[in-house]
Amino acid sequence: MAAARMSTRAPVARSQPFAPQALGRSSSTCFQGRCVARAAHTARRSVRVFVVKAEDKTVVIGLAADSGCGKSTFMRRLTAVFGGTAKPPAGGNPDSNTLISDMATVICLDDYHALDRTGRKEKGVTALAPEAQNFELMYEQIKAMKDGKPVQKPIYNHVTGLLDPPEEIKAPKILVAEGLHPFYDERVRELMDFMIYLDISDEVKFAWKIQRDMAERGHSLESIKASIEARKPDFDAYIDVQKKHADVVIQVLPTQLIPDEKEGKVLRVRMIQKEGVKFFNPAYLFDEGSTISWIPCGRKLTCSFPGIKLYYGPDTYFGEAVSVLEMDGAFDKLEELIYVESHLSNTSGRFYGEVTQQMLKNSSYPGSTNGTGLFQTVCGLKIREVYERITQNTVMPVVG
């Protein structure tokens, strides 16, 4: 299905590379009587093709990842781009998994479990197994919201392990469906306007789980290993396979800057961007289509050991053409990220420095000094651009 989905997407025009001499000049883009000033290097973007009006459809974003892989942090960065604080539905079930902000509603696909915790135990299946999901209802309700209709969405209570009475969810401007299986069912997958997969390597996932479960929950190393091994067959069979469908994969790997680093404190993060995706232009470093290896540390960027290394180049992923941005290491001073940002193009920032501004605003979030924060932020700006190009609406930048 991945190849068939790709064949329907027409290539789109790309913006020009970043031009330092353009700083200080600006232009305005106006939609529906609202004008937004933009830096000159973003103003030169070619004419876009729009096919759907804002009042006709809800834009649906899919986010797939295993449990404990940073979905909630990504959601906070995404909603910050669109403005407003994401909160549970007012006056509803305090154990609701839904988050609603000014423009976006985030639904957790755990709510479409067909079996509660007891039912899964009786049938001998995990929460990752397809037979534990109600894909029919998932498809019907996401389709209804995409068509602008409210739904009575079920609630899976993570505290009790039971299925609680449903809650009404109105169709938002942006619907984010996050969870274990957003791309597993073909019907649900075809409803997605843009798809992201957070891919945490086994080594990093193991290091994170040891730190959390041993330090915070008092679990033994043996019990942690047993839990991971018991879950791995279903993860490999049903969750990991979905990344081949994603438009962007954010992959977190052990660093290559420190030999045999096992604690997961220094990370190598890759942003794998599929080529030829409608409404989406991959971000790149220096020169589009080239292969670049860059160590920026020095007088313009403060990096303590082991420093930072960036990479960009073309590649293939599950047989399809992709562009890869990679960052290994971490920043010492987040405000100096502007130096790296000035060498990136197609970030979908509305103005020069918006990536750095977003990173500083969310500096308390995990991963804010390494590639996870950087690429999640760029991905959030990309989603904003996808929304604007589909709906012909401009989202005003959130300042401060």
Side-chain angles (χ1 to χ4, degrees):
M1 267 311 298
R5 186 173 185 270
M6 286 293 297
S7 65
T8 63
R9 295 178 168 185
V12 293
R14 302 185 183 281
S15 63
Q16 296 296 317
F18 174 78
Q21 67 271 19
L23 292 178
R25 300 197 303 270
S26 63
S27 63
S28 296
T29 298
C30 299
F31 291 95
Q32 300 179 351
R34 294 180 297 175
C35 296
V36 179
R38 303 188 299 170
H41 68 279
T42 59
R44 294 196 300 270
R45 189 177 300 279
S46 301
V47 175
R48 299 168 177 175
V49 178
F50 303 113
V51 295
V52 183
K53 292 185 179 180
E55 62 269 26
D56 294 335
K57 297 267 187 175
T58 290
V59 174
V60 181
I61 307 299
L63 176 65
D66 195 9
S67 299
C69 286
K71 294 191 296 291
S72 60
T73 300
F74 183 90
M75 289 298 98
R76 285 185 286 171
R77 286 196 172 99
L78 174 60
T79 53
V81 168
F82 286 95
T85 303
K87 300 177 181 177
N93 187 330
D95 293 316
S96 171
N97 302 306
T98 302
L99 293 173
I100 299 174
S101 60
D102 291 354
M103 292 185 63
T105 293
V106 181
I107 61 169
C108 175
L109 298 185
D110 288 355
D111 288 335
Y112 294 99
H113 284 333
L115 301 170
D116 60 19
R117 194 174 293 159
T118 300
R120 293 196 301 271
K121 187 175 181 180
E122 289 174 350
K123 291 186 175 292
V125 298
T126 71
L128 286 70
E131 55 265 40
Q133 321 306 320
N134 189 341
F135 287 114
E136 184 69 32
L137 183 61
M138 187 188 300
Y139 165 73
E140 290 176 356
Q141 295 203 339
I142 292 177
K143 185 178 186 303
M145 285 186 279
K146 189 176 178 74
D147 292 337
K149 302 171 185 175
V151 300
Q152 293 292 321
K153 185 187 62 57
I155 299 173
Y156 177 74
N157 192 314
H158 286 94
V159 177
T160 65
L162 300 173
L163 294 167
D164 286 353
E167 60 186 353
E168 181 177 81
I169 301 297
K170 297 179 180 178
K173 291 181 170 123
I174 302 162
L175 176 67
V176 182
E178 63 91 358
L180 296 169
H181 302 89
F183 319 143
Y184 188 85
D185 184 273
E186 180 181 350
R187 298 166 304 167
V188 176
R189 187 167 68 243
E190 290 301 317
L191 294 173
M192 304 291 175
D193 294 295
F194 197 73
M195 299 186 287
I196 308 107
Y197 187 97
L198 302 183
D199 184 19
I200 314 300
S201 70
D202 289 343
E203 300 94 327
V204 173
K205 196 184 299 183
F206 183 60
W208 286 356
K209 192 168 180 63
I210 286 176
Q211 292 169 28
R212 183 191 69 182
D213 289 0
M214 290 186 71
E216 299 177 14
R217 302 179 182 180
H219 294 181
S220 68
L221 182 61
E222 291 72 21
S223 67
I224 294 170
K225 288 181 178 178
S227 173
I228 291 174
E229 290 304 316
R231 209 170 183 273
K232 187 169 172 53
D234 277 2
F235 172 78
D236 290 343
Y238 309 126
I239 312 305
D240 192 59
V241 294
Q242 295 176 72
K243 63 189 178 187
K244 67 184 179 183
H245 300 296
D247 300 313
V248 170
V249 175
I250 297 178
Q251 187 179 55
V252 182
L253 302 159
T255 181
Q256 292 182 334
L257 300 175
I258 306 174
D260 300 320
E261 202 281 331
K262 302 292 185 184
E263 296 183 2
K265 293 181 179 179
V266 181
L267 302 172
R268 179 167 66 102
V269 186
R270 307 174 83 224
M271 185 176 180
I272 303 169
Q273 307 165 91
K274 193 174 287 184
E275 295 281 355
V277 175
K278 196 172 184 180
F279 303 123
F280 170 72
N281 297 330
Y284 61 91
L285 177 68
F286 287 115
D287 182 34
E288 186 175 15
S290 296
T291 299
I292 307 290
S293 183
W294 182 39
I295 299 175
C297 298
R299 287 178 293 176
K300 296 181 179 179
L301 192 68
T302 306
C303 307
S304 56
F305 180 83
I308 291 177
K309 184 176 181 179
L310 288 106
Y311 167 86
Y312 161 74
D315 206 339
T316 57
Y317 190 73
F318 289 97
E320 299 195 64
V322 297
S323 292
V324 178
L325 269 174
E326 179 180 306
M327 175 181 162
D328 198 346
F331 302 105
D332 281 351
K333 298 179 180 178
L334 192 52
E335 61 271 15
E336 294 178 347
L337 175 61
I338 190 72
Y339 175 62
V340 172
E341 182 179 354
S342 70
H343 292 81
L344 293 172
S345 293
N346 275 358
T347 62
S348 299
R350 188 67 51 70
F351 53 86
Y352 176 70
E354 188 176 11
V355 173
T356 303
Q357 181 200 66
Q358 286 289 330
M359 292 280 284
L360 286 167
K361 184 170 65 175
N362 303 317
S363 61
S364 63
Y365 296 171
S368 290
T369 60
N370 62 43
T372 55
L374 174 61
F375 295 143
Q376 285 181 9
T377 298
V378 172
C379 198
L381 297 177
K382 288 291 182 188
I383 290 169
R384 181 181 68 187
E385 184 174 60
V386 168
Y387 169 80
E388 290 178 339
R389 298 179 84 172
I390 290 174
T391 66
Q392 305 183 55
N393 280 340
T394 296
V395 180
M396 304 301 287
V398 180
V399 179

